[in-house]
Amino acid sequence: MKARVFSGIQPTGNPHIGNYLGALKSWAKVQYDYESIYGIVDLHAITLYQNPTELRAKIEELAGVLLAIGIDPKHSALIVQSAVPAHTELSWMLTCVTPVGWLERMTQYKAKSATQETVGDGLLQYPVLMAADILLYQAAIVPVGDDQSQHLELTRDIAQRFNSLYGETFRVPATHLPTVGARVMGLDEPDKKMSKSAKGAGHAVGILEPPDQIRKKIMRATTDSQPAVNIEAPGAGVENLLGIFQAFTEWSNEQMKSHFAGMRYGDLKKQVAEAVISHLEPIQKRYREITAEPGYIAGVLREGAERVSPWANDTVNKVKRAMGIYT
Ligand code: TRP
């Protein structure tokens, strides 16, 4: 049996090139080597208030984007988290072995709760649900961006704690981080990771964004006061643009150096924009095809849930037996 991969993405905001280069691209790549399960994690999304109509629309849109970037339903199970109730069931059981102190220490919890007038309990439990997503499938590998490494470490801790309390039940997952492009920064604020929820209009390049708009945004990206590309010591904005170019083109460091050293920022930006656009164009074309076929996405999601449910139920039953819960 092939080892399993699980990863998840929230159906909020607009999926952008940071999501693509940081995680989604590697999802499409590893699906041929592993039994892959990719989740649209709607139950994570509601840990902060979401407009219901918008959330519903975002779930299908994201499914379309994931299929368009190359998630192949013949190789991967694409699921909506809430359609497989075992995620929530396992989450509760893991909650009971997770010290509150571990959760209160999470940096994302601290950052997100600081923006809320009242903090929903779900925000604190967020990483436990994420652990459930992963452990439910006994996943060996979890391809995520580096902002999720603390949550992944916690998942390992929860699995180990459960195993030591109730006996070997969960496989403890390894981490998986791609080497290039794992961290794309905001175009307007290159000291912050590109984010789906950032407010700035020039912050992120959406995967589905029209070429003209992409060009404009990249041409306006923040650089620095140096006259041209200082390849040995670029400022944060220029480094980010070079990183985006390299991640899309997969050029070597030598190629990057000899091509971009001393280039004026206007030219650099034009070349980055064209590299991004030419990569996104076929993805956008596939998206239009996929969404033009009525019922296609719903069918893929239904099949995904049907495929993984027996695996999920196996784990839940194993956990119940281990804990002495009535089955
Ligand atoms: N927390 C992840 C994020 O915001 C999304 C996620 C939920 C996830 N469950 C997961 C990622 C399980 C990997 C595995 O990016």
PDB file of all heavy atoms in Angstrom, residues 6-10 41 44 81 108 112 126 129-130 133-134 142-144 147-148 151, ligand 1:
ATOM      1  N   PHE A   6      -1.734  13.926   3.322  1.00  0.00           N
ATOM      2  CA  PHE A   6      -2.913  14.764   3.513  1.00  0.00           C
ATOM      3  C   PHE A   6      -2.482  16.213   3.587  1.00  0.00           C
ATOM      4  O   PHE A   6      -1.462  16.541   4.196  1.00  0.00           O
ATOM      5  CB  PHE A   6      -3.682  14.434   4.807  1.00  0.00           C
ATOM      6  CG  PHE A   6      -4.944  15.260   4.931  1.00  0.00           C
ATOM      7  CD1 PHE A   6      -6.157  14.780   4.450  1.00  0.00           C
ATOM      8  CD2 PHE A   6      -4.913  16.543   5.475  1.00  0.00           C
ATOM      9  CE1 PHE A   6      -7.318  15.560   4.509  1.00  0.00           C
ATOM     10  CE2 PHE A   6      -6.064  17.332   5.533  1.00  0.00           C
ATOM     11  CZ  PHE A   6      -7.269  16.833   5.051  1.00  0.00           C
ATOM     12  N   SER A   7      -3.249  17.085   2.933  1.00  0.00           N
ATOM     13  CA  SER A   7      -3.083  18.500   3.202  1.00  0.00           C
ATOM     14  C   SER A   7      -4.414  19.204   3.032  1.00  0.00           C
ATOM     15  O   SER A   7      -5.349  18.665   2.436  1.00  0.00           O
ATOM     16  CB  SER A   7      -2.016  19.121   2.311  1.00  0.00           C
ATOM     17  OG  SER A   7      -1.636  20.374   2.871  1.00  0.00           O
ATOM     18  N   GLY A   8      -4.493  20.418   3.579  1.00  0.00           N
ATOM     19  CA  GLY A   8      -5.759  21.145   3.539  1.00  0.00           C
ATOM     20  C   GLY A   8      -5.556  22.613   3.235  1.00  0.00           C
ATOM     21  O   GLY A   8      -4.478  23.168   3.460  1.00  0.00           O
ATOM     22  N   ILE A   9      -6.603  23.224   2.709  1.00  0.00           N
ATOM     23  CA  ILE A   9      -6.586  24.658   2.445  1.00  0.00           C
ATOM     24  C   ILE A   9      -7.961  25.227   2.771  1.00  0.00           C
ATOM     25  O   ILE A   9      -8.990  24.588   2.494  1.00  0.00           O
ATOM     26  CB  ILE A   9      -6.163  24.964   0.979  1.00  0.00           C
ATOM     27  CG1 ILE A   9      -6.135  26.482   0.722  1.00  0.00           C
ATOM     28  CG2 ILE A   9      -7.038  24.235  -0.022  1.00  0.00           C
ATOM     29  CD1 ILE A   9      -5.481  26.875  -0.585  1.00  0.00           C
ATOM     30  N   GLN A  10      -7.959  26.422   3.356  1.00  0.00           N
ATOM     31  CA  GLN A  10      -9.226  27.030   3.744  1.00  0.00           C
ATOM     32  C   GLN A  10      -9.902  27.714   2.555  1.00  0.00           C
ATOM     33  O   GLN A  10      -9.236  28.397   1.787  1.00  0.00           O
ATOM     34  CB  GLN A  10      -8.990  28.088   4.818  1.00  0.00           C
ATOM     35  CG  GLN A  10      -8.461  27.524   6.107  1.00  0.00           C
ATOM     36  CD  GLN A  10      -8.555  28.551   7.220  1.00  0.00           C
ATOM     37  OE1 GLN A  10      -9.592  29.181   7.422  1.00  0.00           O
ATOM     38  NE2 GLN A  10      -7.467  28.716   7.948  1.00  0.00           N
ATOM     39  N   VAL A  41     -10.938  22.833   3.744  1.00  0.00           N
ATOM     40  CA  VAL A  41     -11.268  22.727   5.169  1.00  0.00           C
ATOM     41  C   VAL A  41     -12.252  23.825   5.599  1.00  0.00           C
ATOM     42  O   VAL A  41     -11.899  24.809   6.226  1.00  0.00           O
ATOM     43  CB  VAL A  41      -9.983  22.698   6.042  1.00  0.00           C
ATOM     44  CG1 VAL A  41      -9.233  21.386   5.808  1.00  0.00           C
ATOM     45  CG2 VAL A  41      -9.054  23.869   5.761  1.00  0.00           C
ATOM     46  N   HIS A  44     -12.515  24.595   9.346  1.00  0.00           N
ATOM     47  CA  HIS A  44     -11.488  25.516   9.836  1.00  0.00           C
ATOM     48  C   HIS A  44     -11.864  26.962   9.500  1.00  0.00           C
ATOM     49  O   HIS A  44     -11.637  27.869  10.290  1.00  0.00           O
ATOM     50  CB  HIS A  44     -10.118  25.188   9.232  1.00  0.00           C
ATOM     51  CG  HIS A  44      -9.414  24.083   9.951  1.00  0.00           C
ATOM     52  ND1 HIS A  44      -9.318  22.810   9.448  1.00  0.00           N
ATOM     53  CD2 HIS A  44      -8.787  24.060  11.153  1.00  0.00           C
ATOM     54  CE1 HIS A  44      -8.659  22.050  10.309  1.00  0.00           C
ATOM     55  NE2 HIS A  44      -8.326  22.783  11.346  1.00  0.00           N
ATOM     56  N   GLN A  81     -13.963  18.913   3.796  1.00  0.00           N
ATOM     57  CA  GLN A  81     -13.781  18.370   5.149  1.00  0.00           C
ATOM     58  C   GLN A  81     -15.109  18.009   5.830  1.00  0.00           C
ATOM     59  O   GLN A  81     -15.264  16.932   6.411  1.00  0.00           O
ATOM     60  CB  GLN A  81     -13.042  19.437   5.959  1.00  0.00           C
ATOM     61  CG  GLN A  81     -12.690  19.102   7.383  1.00  0.00           C
ATOM     62  CD  GLN A  81     -12.138  20.359   8.061  1.00  0.00           C
ATOM     63  OE1 GLN A  81     -12.585  21.468   7.789  1.00  0.00           O
ATOM     64  NE2 GLN A  81     -11.141  20.180   8.910  1.00  0.00           N
ATOM     65  N   GLN A 108      -0.361  31.312  15.772  1.00  0.00           N
ATOM     66  CA  GLN A 108      -1.520  31.731  14.969  1.00  0.00           C
ATOM     67  C   GLN A 108      -2.733  32.003  15.853  1.00  0.00           C
ATOM     68  O   GLN A 108      -3.506  32.908  15.581  1.00  0.00           O
ATOM     69  CB  GLN A 108      -1.860  30.676  13.910  1.00  0.00           C
ATOM     70  CG  GLN A 108      -0.938  30.797  12.723  1.00  0.00           C
ATOM     71  CD  GLN A 108      -1.516  30.185  11.453  1.00  0.00           C
ATOM     72  OE1 GLN A 108      -2.558  29.543  11.453  1.00  0.00           O
ATOM     73  NE2 GLN A 108      -0.806  30.385  10.369  1.00  0.00           N
ATOM     74  N   LYS A 112      -4.517  35.553  15.765  1.00  0.00           N
ATOM     75  CA  LYS A 112      -5.916  35.665  15.338  1.00  0.00           C
ATOM     76  C   LYS A 112      -6.822  36.103  16.481  1.00  0.00           C
ATOM     77  O   LYS A 112      -7.729  36.907  16.289  1.00  0.00           O
ATOM     78  CB  LYS A 112      -6.420  34.332  14.771  1.00  0.00           C
ATOM     79  CG  LYS A 112      -5.866  34.009  13.398  1.00  0.00           C
ATOM     80  CD  LYS A 112      -6.493  32.727  12.874  1.00  0.00           C
ATOM     81  CE  LYS A 112      -5.860  32.264  11.581  1.00  0.00           C
ATOM     82  NZ  LYS A 112      -6.352  30.939  11.199  1.00  0.00           N
ATOM     83  N   TYR A 126      -8.684  24.955  16.772  1.00  0.00           N
ATOM     84  CA  TYR A 126      -8.287  24.885  15.356  1.00  0.00           C
ATOM     85  C   TYR A 126      -7.189  23.842  15.072  1.00  0.00           C
ATOM     86  O   TYR A 126      -7.351  22.969  14.221  1.00  0.00           O
ATOM     87  CB  TYR A 126      -7.871  26.299  14.914  1.00  0.00           C
ATOM     88  CG  TYR A 126      -7.429  26.458  13.497  1.00  0.00           C
ATOM     89  CD1 TYR A 126      -8.204  27.159  12.567  1.00  0.00           C
ATOM     90  CD2 TYR A 126      -6.216  25.929  13.045  1.00  0.00           C
ATOM     91  CE1 TYR A 126      -7.786  27.321  11.258  1.00  0.00           C
ATOM     92  CE2 TYR A 126      -5.801  26.085  11.739  1.00  0.00           C
ATOM     93  CZ  TYR A 126      -6.580  26.785  10.854  1.00  0.00           C
ATOM     94  OH  TYR A 126      -6.167  26.931   9.553  1.00  0.00           O
ATOM     95  N   LEU A 129      -8.329  20.182  15.324  1.00  0.00           N
ATOM     96  CA  LEU A 129      -9.059  19.727  14.129  1.00  0.00           C
ATOM     97  C   LEU A 129      -8.077  19.433  12.989  1.00  0.00           C
ATOM     98  O   LEU A 129      -8.233  18.467  12.253  1.00  0.00           O
ATOM     99  CB  LEU A 129     -10.083  20.800  13.709  1.00  0.00           C
ATOM    100  CG  LEU A 129     -10.919  20.501  12.466  1.00  0.00           C
ATOM    101  CD1 LEU A 129     -11.745  19.223  12.619  1.00  0.00           C
ATOM    102  CD2 LEU A 129     -11.851  21.682  12.143  1.00  0.00           C
ATOM    103  N   MET A 130      -7.051  20.257  12.897  1.00  0.00           N
ATOM    104  CA  MET A 130      -6.031  20.010  11.869  1.00  0.00           C
ATOM    105  C   MET A 130      -5.296  18.699  12.135  1.00  0.00           C
ATOM    106  O   MET A 130      -5.039  17.911  11.216  1.00  0.00           O
ATOM    107  CB  MET A 130      -5.050  21.191  11.836  1.00  0.00           C
ATOM    108  CG  MET A 130      -3.935  21.014  10.837  1.00  0.00           C
ATOM    109  SD  MET A 130      -3.104  22.597  10.503  1.00  0.00           S
ATOM    110  CE  MET A 130      -1.552  21.972   9.838  1.00  0.00           C
ATOM    111  N   ASP A 133      -7.502  15.962  10.955  1.00  0.00           N
ATOM    112  CA  ASP A 133      -7.471  15.814   9.492  1.00  0.00           C
ATOM    113  C   ASP A 133      -6.339  14.874   9.071  1.00  0.00           C
ATOM    114  O   ASP A 133      -6.489  14.026   8.191  1.00  0.00           O
ATOM    115  CB  ASP A 133      -7.195  17.163   8.813  1.00  0.00           C
ATOM    116  CG  ASP A 133      -8.297  18.183   9.028  1.00  0.00           C
ATOM    117  OD1 ASP A 133      -9.422  17.785   9.363  1.00  0.00           O
ATOM    118  OD2 ASP A 133      -8.006  19.385   8.853  1.00  0.00           O
ATOM    119  N   ILE A 134      -5.200  15.092   9.697  1.00  0.00           N
ATOM    120  CA  ILE A 134      -3.979  14.378   9.293  1.00  0.00           C
ATOM    121  C   ILE A 134      -3.972  12.953   9.846  1.00  0.00           C
ATOM    122  O   ILE A 134      -3.740  11.981   9.125  1.00  0.00           O
ATOM    123  CB  ILE A 134      -2.745  15.150   9.808  1.00  0.00           C
ATOM    124  CG1 ILE A 134      -2.678  16.534   9.148  1.00  0.00           C
ATOM    125  CG2 ILE A 134      -1.467  14.352   9.580  1.00  0.00           C
ATOM    126  CD1 ILE A 134      -1.735  17.518   9.835  1.00  0.00           C
ATOM    127  N   VAL A 142       2.814  15.637   5.046  1.00  0.00           N
ATOM    128  CA  VAL A 142       1.854  16.739   5.045  1.00  0.00           C
ATOM    129  C   VAL A 142       2.495  17.961   4.372  1.00  0.00           C
ATOM    130  O   VAL A 142       3.213  18.712   5.019  1.00  0.00           O
ATOM    131  CB  VAL A 142       1.454  17.096   6.493  1.00  0.00           C
ATOM    132  CG1 VAL A 142       0.356  18.153   6.502  1.00  0.00           C
ATOM    133  CG2 VAL A 142       0.996  15.855   7.262  1.00  0.00           C
ATOM    134  N   PRO A 143       2.273  18.150   3.065  1.00  0.00           N
ATOM    135  CA  PRO A 143       2.901  19.298   2.403  1.00  0.00           C
ATOM    136  C   PRO A 143       2.171  20.601   2.743  1.00  0.00           C
ATOM    137  O   PRO A 143       1.037  20.811   2.339  1.00  0.00           O
ATOM    138  CB  PRO A 143       2.785  18.976   0.903  1.00  0.00           C
ATOM    139  CG  PRO A 143       1.723  17.941   0.790  1.00  0.00           C
ATOM    140  CD  PRO A 143       1.503  17.319   2.142  1.00  0.00           C
ATOM    141  N   VAL A 144       2.841  21.442   3.523  1.00  0.00           N
ATOM    142  CA  VAL A 144       2.269  22.737   3.912  1.00  0.00           C
ATOM    143  C   VAL A 144       3.341  23.818   3.832  1.00  0.00           C
ATOM    144  O   VAL A 144       4.528  23.518   3.806  1.00  0.00           O
ATOM    145  CB  VAL A 144       1.733  22.725   5.365  1.00  0.00           C
ATOM    146  CG1 VAL A 144       0.423  21.978   5.478  1.00  0.00           C
ATOM    147  CG2 VAL A 144       2.774  22.180   6.337  1.00  0.00           C
ATOM    148  N   ASP A 147       4.379  28.428   7.470  1.00  0.00           N
ATOM    149  CA  ASP A 147       3.576  29.020   8.555  1.00  0.00           C
ATOM    150  C   ASP A 147       2.791  27.957   9.320  1.00  0.00           C
ATOM    151  O   ASP A 147       2.232  28.242  10.380  1.00  0.00           O
ATOM    152  CB  ASP A 147       2.615  30.080   7.993  1.00  0.00           C
ATOM    153  CG  ASP A 147       1.599  29.484   7.040  1.00  0.00           C
ATOM    154  OD1 ASP A 147       1.960  28.562   6.279  1.00  0.00           O
ATOM    155  OD2 ASP A 147       0.438  29.922   7.051  1.00  0.00           O
ATOM    156  N   GLN A 148       2.735  26.747   8.767  1.00  0.00           N
ATOM    157  CA  GLN A 148       1.982  25.680   9.426  1.00  0.00           C
ATOM    158  C   GLN A 148       2.874  24.721  10.198  1.00  0.00           C
ATOM    159  O   GLN A 148       2.396  23.718  10.721  1.00  0.00           O
ATOM    160  CB  GLN A 148       1.161  24.899   8.391  1.00  0.00           C
ATOM    161  CG  GLN A 148       0.063  25.726   7.748  1.00  0.00           C
ATOM    162  CD  GLN A 148      -0.940  26.221   8.777  1.00  0.00           C
ATOM    163  OE1 GLN A 148      -1.421  25.466   9.612  1.00  0.00           O
ATOM    164  NE2 GLN A 148      -1.230  27.517   8.742  1.00  0.00           N
ATOM    165  N   HIS A 151       1.858  24.046  13.803  1.00  0.00           N
ATOM    166  CA  HIS A 151       0.675  23.183  13.906  1.00  0.00           C
ATOM    167  C   HIS A 151       1.026  21.714  13.617  1.00  0.00           C
ATOM    168  O   HIS A 151       0.444  20.805  14.203  1.00  0.00           O
ATOM    169  CB  HIS A 151      -0.413  23.646  12.935  1.00  0.00           C
ATOM    170  CG  HIS A 151      -1.076  24.928  13.361  1.00  0.00           C
ATOM    171  ND1 HIS A 151      -1.778  25.723  12.485  1.00  0.00           N
ATOM    172  CD2 HIS A 151      -1.144  25.539  14.562  1.00  0.00           C
ATOM    173  CE1 HIS A 151      -2.258  26.765  13.142  1.00  0.00           C
ATOM    174  NE2 HIS A 151      -1.877  26.691  14.401  1.00  0.00           N
TER     175      HIS A 151
HETATM  176  N1  TRP B   1      -4.272  25.208   8.784  1.00  0.00           N
HETATM  177  C1  TRP B   1      -3.962  25.024   7.392  1.00  0.00           C
HETATM  178  C2  TRP B   1      -3.729  26.410   6.748  1.00  0.00           C
HETATM  179  O1  TRP B   1      -4.310  27.387   7.164  1.00  0.00           O
HETATM  180  C3  TRP B   1      -5.068  24.328   6.656  1.00  0.00           C
HETATM  181  C4  TRP B   1      -5.244  22.925   7.130  1.00  0.00           C
HETATM  182  C5  TRP B   1      -6.294  22.420   7.824  1.00  0.00           C
HETATM  183  C6  TRP B   1      -4.338  21.848   6.931  1.00  0.00           C
HETATM  184  N2  TRP B   1      -6.124  21.091   8.055  1.00  0.00           N
HETATM  185  C7  TRP B   1      -4.936  20.713   7.528  1.00  0.00           C
HETATM  186  C8  TRP B   1      -3.089  21.728   6.306  1.00  0.00           C
HETATM  187  C9  TRP B   1      -4.293  19.477   7.537  1.00  0.00           C
HETATM  188  C10 TRP B   1      -2.450  20.488   6.331  1.00  0.00           C
HETATM  189  C11 TRP B   1      -3.055  19.384   6.923  1.00  0.00           C
HETATM  190  O2  TRP B   1      -2.984  26.497   5.804  1.00  0.00           O
END
